Amino acid sequence: MWKIEDAIELYGIERWGSGYFSVNRNGNLIVKPTKNDAQVIDLKNVVDSLVSKKINYPILFRFPQILESQIKTLNSAFSNSILEYKYNNTYQGIFPMKVNQRKEVIEEIVKSGKKYNMGLEVGTKAELLAALSFDLSNDALLICNGFKDDEYLHLALNAIKLSNKVVIIIDEFSETKRLLEIAKQLNVKPIIGIRAKLYSRGSGKWAESGGESSKFGLSTTEILECVKIISEYNMIDQLQVLHFHIGSQITEIRRIQKAVKEAARVYAKIKLKHINIKYFNIGGGLGIDYDGSKTSSDASANYTIQEYANNVVYSLKEVCDEENVTHPIILSESGRAISAYHSVLVINIKGNKNGDLNKRVELRGNEPHIITELYDAFKEINIKNYVEFYHDALLHREELLSLFNLGEIELEEKSMGEILFWQLCEKAIGFAKETENKSDDFDDLNKLLSKKYIGNFSVFQSVPDFWAIKQLFPVVPVSRNNEKPTEYGTIVDITCDSDGEIDKFVDLKDVKEILELHELNNGSYYLAVLLIGAYQDTIGDYHNLFGSANEAHIIVDESGGWHIKQIVNGDRNCDVLGYVKYNNSYLLSAFESEVNQAVKECGLSKSDAEDIMNNYKNVMNRYTYLDI
């Protein structure tokens, strides 16, 4: 008997959900944005509500309260560690805007992080322009990273005149003198930081972004020279931040511990030179457990947020105490940990491709022997002979193709043979499951027989990291989790690209190549792709000119009722055409000329011409995805 607990275990929800997701007694996926069991959002109810409002799918759901909850969790973890290890300073979080630059997301982070003096990190002039529009707390830092030209430096230094607490990190040695010269011209004293290039590297997909091969950071020699130059400009008191970064999504806690110890030693040695370093910025890298395995696999992390904070605080304190230097304020740029959980993409499935398994084959009596043999095997296969019959069927299929290539059978007969082969395979895989046959032959056959569920979305736009680097994201049915899934499948999108397919899925011990799903019936079937709040919004690709998805921002009140806080419309066809430099007025004019020419030369009626133009204008202003 299938139970709700079986679905939770099958999809690993409690392992990767961090307390935010589960399944209710109705079999619907639920969201607990505050981790409070009394404040629950039934995602199927929200889906039905939006369908009734004629809001088309796919829809990206945002849960702003999850952002607030993650900020609280991160700050609480460091507070606990600071208290436990008697660390003599504080912690401040920084959100790196590159992780998610969406205005609505940053607004919520700034609002929720204000009581923690949470700041922002930028890496470009555009991000800095956006960051300066937000009302940070007086003690929050605005950290400027990345390669900087004079224009970038002018903008950052001018912001200091407006009482912003701007930190300019020297990521490249050549920036040093330019920063100091422009600061002197503007009569501004910025908070200066140095990014150290460590020997230590992270682990996982982004390990190469750290260590000696990193494109950012100063070597030991460059750090010493940088300190000397800053002293010559009488700005040494402004050198207050030591920064390092060993990579995103670090999977192994020991890598973090090693890097902190190395950087802490650099901090201590600089501090012993009577330099007023106040902040120790450990950068990003705090990992998310996407697959729930709590291992050092690329899709996981073998530590919790609390263990992360413990290792940072303990390792830093240990070195500082050895060197007899004061404990610095700890900064971290943990963007993924803050934003990943808050976004869920819901896609509607418009159908699936399952071959010819439901077609009935009737013999007339004059079929070639190969058809008769396949038909007899299909009828006679059973739990005792299925292995032998399956291997025979493979030989029969080869013979079928050879006969067709030699011109000895017709298309209709080839079709009959293929249908019988696949129907026999389906019977064989059923017997293999019943006998728990896990041999490679039947594992491969199971994948081959799996269905392709056609989702109304674009992998390249909504989950680009899956396509680009095979980042795993959990996928769960929005409803029907009280029913045992009887099908296996992958999820294909509606782009004209064979890469537009989700064919790798989270699993406790492995990476699944097919996912357990339900047979489609007359009702709608929705799938949720979760933990996509970090990077996916920003790096989405307009492949086939599919644009950004509609958004619904959902909150839950203290009584447990959910509300739509905001609807953000996705891209229309005219929007994405504009992104690739098409002028919509010109397109309308050019098409109208074509229609008028058809009226003059082809006998097109004026009423038909008007209908055609209205249809063109209507589609121009419609959502880029299918209206199903």
Side-chain angles (χ1 to χ4, degrees):
M1 178 67 71
W2 183 259
K3 302 186 294 294
I4 296 298
E5 291 73 19
D6 295 325
I8 292 172
E9 176 63 24
L10 174 64
Y11 298 112
I13 298 172
E14 288 187 346
R15 293 192 295 270
W16 50 255
S18 194
Y20 293 119
F21 306 100
S22 191
V23 175
N24 64 16
R25 290 295 123 190
N26 295 323
N28 297 338
L29 183 63
I30 59 173
V31 185
K32 295 187 281 186
T34 64
K35 298 190 180 181
N36 185 336
D37 289 338
Q39 294 179 295
V40 174
I41 298 169
D42 184 321
L43 197 54
K44 179 62 165 57
N45 288 346
V46 182
V47 166
D48 290 342
S49 174
L50 293 177
V51 167
S52 71
K53 298 178 190 296
K54 307 297 183 185
I55 297 173
N56 289 345
Y57 285 77
I59 293 182
L60 181 70
F61 288 92
R62 296 195 193 277
F63 301 95
Q65 289 160 306
I66 292 182
L67 293 170
E68 181 180 9
S69 178
Q70 283 298 98
I71 290 170
K72 180 180 178 181
T73 298
L74 184 61
N75 279 274
S76 295
F78 273 97
S79 293
N80 293 339
S81 298
I82 285 168
L83 186 64
E84 180 179 352
Y85 298 115
K86 297 181 174 56
Y87 187 84
N88 294 323
N89 220 317
T90 58
Y91 165 79
Q92 283 181 241
I94 309 290
F95 184 79
M97 287 185 66
K98 65 177 177 287
V99 175
N100 196 316
Q101 292 122 333
R102 289 298 299 267
K103 180 174 179 286
E104 301 88 353
V105 175
I106 302 296
E107 282 177 338
E108 192 62 42
I109 288 170
V110 169
K111 175 186 168 186
S112 299
K114 211 161 194 177
K115 60 185 173 183
Y116 303 107
N117 292 321
M118 188 163 192
L120 295 174
E121 181 266 352
V122 301
T124 65
K125 288 178 280 190
E127 287 182 346
L128 179 54
L129 289 167
L132 290 171
S133 71
F134 296 104
D135 182 24
L136 300 176
S137 70
N138 291 335
D139 290 323
L141 300 178
L142 178 52
I143 295 182
C144 297
N145 279 324
F147 294 117
K148 307 169 193 71
D149 60 10
D150 289 357
E151 194 172 57
Y152 187 159
L153 292 171
H154 267 93
L155 182 63
L157 290 166
N158 279 331
I160 296 171
K161 294 181 178 181
L162 305 177
S163 299
N164 292 288
K165 210 166 183 180
V166 177
V167 179
I168 300 177
I169 302 293
I170 298 173
D171 287 284
E172 182 191 27
F173 180 72
S174 65
E175 294 173 357
T176 310
K177 284 191 176 181
R178 287 192 295 111
L179 166 61
L180 295 168
E181 281 293 335
I182 296 171
K184 184 178 177 182
Q185 292 168 20
L186 297 177
N187 195 28
V188 172
K189 287 194 171 185
I191 299 174
I192 300 172
I194 291 177
R195 179 163 174 171
K197 184 179 289 189
L198 305 182
Y199 286 96
S200 302
R201 294 197 312 179
S203 56
K205 293 181 183 293
W206 291 272
E208 295 300 320
S209 64
E212 291 180 279
S213 61
S214 171
K215 71 176 183 179
F216 290 118
L218 277 61
S219 67
T220 305
T221 302
E222 288 174 326
I223 288 174
L224 291 171
E225 187 63 23
C226 186
V227 169
K228 180 183 175 184
I229 294 170
I230 294 171
S231 298
E232 290 171 354
Y233 276 80
N234 296 318
M235 288 258 196
I236 198 62
D237 287 344
Q238 300 307 117
L239 179 55
Q240 298 178 16
V241 181
L242 178 70
H243 175 49
F244 68 94
H245 176 72
I246 60 168
S248 181
Q249 180 64 17
I250 300 169
T251 61
E252 298 178 33
I253 190 64
R254 65 182 181 87
R255 300 294 185 99
I256 295 166
Q257 187 180 56
K258 183 179 178 182
V260 170
K261 285 185 174 181
E262 182 184 348
R265 197 68 68 178
V266 175
Y267 159 78
K269 297 302 183 183
I270 294 175
K271 191 76 174 176
L272 289 170
K273 294 181 177 292
H274 307 291
I275 295 172
N276 188 33
I277 296 281
K278 294 168 57 177
Y279 300 97
F280 184 83
N281 187 348
I282 60 178
L286 173 54
I288 290 295
D289 193 1
Y290 288 95
D291 66 13
S293 65
K294 292 182 171 56
T295 66
S296 57
S297 77
D298 286 349
S300 187
N302 66 2
Y303 55 91
T304 63
I305 290 179
Q306 188 60 66
E307 289 169 333
Y308 172 81
N310 289 348
N311 273 270
V312 169
V313 172
Y314 178 82
S315 300
L316 180 55
K317 179 180 185 296
E318 185 179 43
V319 173
C320 288
D321 289 349
E322 282 179 13
E323 298 278 2
N324 196 27
V325 296
T326 56
H327 301 168
I329 296 170
I330 300 171
L331 307 177
S332 79
E333 300 172 7
S334 305
R336 187 186 299 269
I338 289 171
S339 65
Y341 293 97
H342 93 282
S343 288
V344 176
L345 180 73
V346 172
I347 58 178
N348 52 333
I349 299 299
K350 65 178 292 290
N352 61 33
K353 301 170 74 173
N354 63 342
D356 302 313
L357 297 180
N358 298 322
K359 290 189 177 180
R360 187 179 178 86
V361 174
E362 296 288 349
L363 299 190
R364 300 182 303 273
N366 60 346
E367 287 78 15
H369 75 92
I370 189 64
I371 304 298
T372 305
E373 289 177 9
L374 278 166
Y375 184 83
D376 290 342
F378 168 69
K379 290 293 185 183
E380 296 171 13
I381 189 171
N382 58 49
I383 199 166
K384 293 183 178 179
N385 64 21
Y386 76 90
V387 175
E388 177 188 354
F389 272 43
Y390 169 61
H391 288 146
D392 288 346
L394 292 174
L395 297 175
H396 291 330
R397 184 174 65 161
E398 289 182 13
E399 184 180 354
L400 180 75
L401 182 59
S402 295
L403 290 171
F404 179 74
N405 288 337
L406 291 170
E408 295 184 18
I409 62 173
E410 302 301 323
L411 273 174
E412 291 78 7
E413 293 162 337
K414 181 173 183 284
S415 171
M416 290 173 66
E418 288 172 351
I419 292 170
L420 288 167
F421 171 77
W422 288 115
Q423 289 178 343
L424 185 149
C425 287
E426 189 178 40
K427 280 189 175 183
I429 203 66
F431 293 132
K433 290 176 185 176
E434 195 173 341
T435 58
E436 298 184 355
N437 185 335
K438 297 180 180 178
S439 65
D440 289 345
D441 277 353
F442 289 98
D443 186 44
D444 292 340
L445 179 59
N446 199 27
K447 295 170 190 172
L448 204 58
L449 285 171
S450 65
K451 298 179 179 179
K452 293 186 181 295
Y453 282 66
I454 305 168
N456 183 18
F457 80 116
S458 164
V459 167
F460 308 95
Q461 174 60 229
S462 293
V463 282
D465 267 350
F466 176 83
W467 166 74
I469 57 172
K470 292 302 177 185
Q471 171 68 53
L472 294 184
F473 298 99
V475 180
V476 182
V478 171
S479 61
R480 296 178 64 187
N481 289 298
N482 52 351
E483 304 173 29
K484 184 176 182 178
T486 57
E487 307 293 332
Y488 289 91
T490 59
I491 305 159
V492 297
D493 69 7
I494 55 173
T495 66
C496 299
D497 197 306
S498 58
D499 284 345
E501 180 177 9
I502 300 178
D503 56 1
K504 297 286 187 295
F505 304 94
V506 302
D507 189 43
L508 182 60
K509 296 181 179 178
D510 203 351
V511 175
K512 294 193 288 193
E513 295 184 353
I514 47 178
L515 184 67
E516 297 85 348
L517 296 166
H518 300 90
E519 185 174 5
L520 299 183
N521 52 32
N522 293 328
S524 298
Y525 192 59
Y526 294 93
L527 296 176
V529 186
L530 302 101
L531 275 60
I532 62 168
Y535 295 101
Q536 306 316 293
D537 288 306
T538 303
I539 63 176
D541 183 277
Y542 290 93
H543 192 69
N544 274 155
L545 295 188
F546 285 111
S548 61
N550 287 327
E551 291 186 17
H553 300 196
I554 312 296
I555 60 172
V556 59
D557 60 32
E558 292 181 359
S559 66
W562 62 266
H563 308 280
I564 300 173
K565 180 180 180 182
Q566 185 179 8
I567 295 290
V568 180
N569 292 324
D571 286 326
R572 300 168 299 167
N573 290 305
C574 58
D575 297 325
V576 297
L577 286 167
Y579 299 155
V580 288
K581 306 302 182 185
Y582 286 93
N583 181 288
N584 291 308
S585 296
Y586 171 79
L587 290 175
L588 283 168
S589 177
F591 188 73
E592 189 171 22
S593 295
E594 207 174 326
V595 171
N596 290 336
Q597 186 176 355
V599 171
K600 291 177 182 177
E601 300 177 5
C602 304
L604 182 70
S605 71
K606 289 187 176 181
S607 62
D608 282 349
E610 186 177 346
D611 287 344
I612 290 170
M613 276 306 303
N614 287 336
N615 173 253
Y616 188 88
K617 291 175 184 178
N618 182 52
V619 174
M620 179 79 80
N621 288 287
R622 297 283 290 172
Y623 197 31
T624 61
Y625 294 93
L626 301 182
D627 188 10
I628 56 172

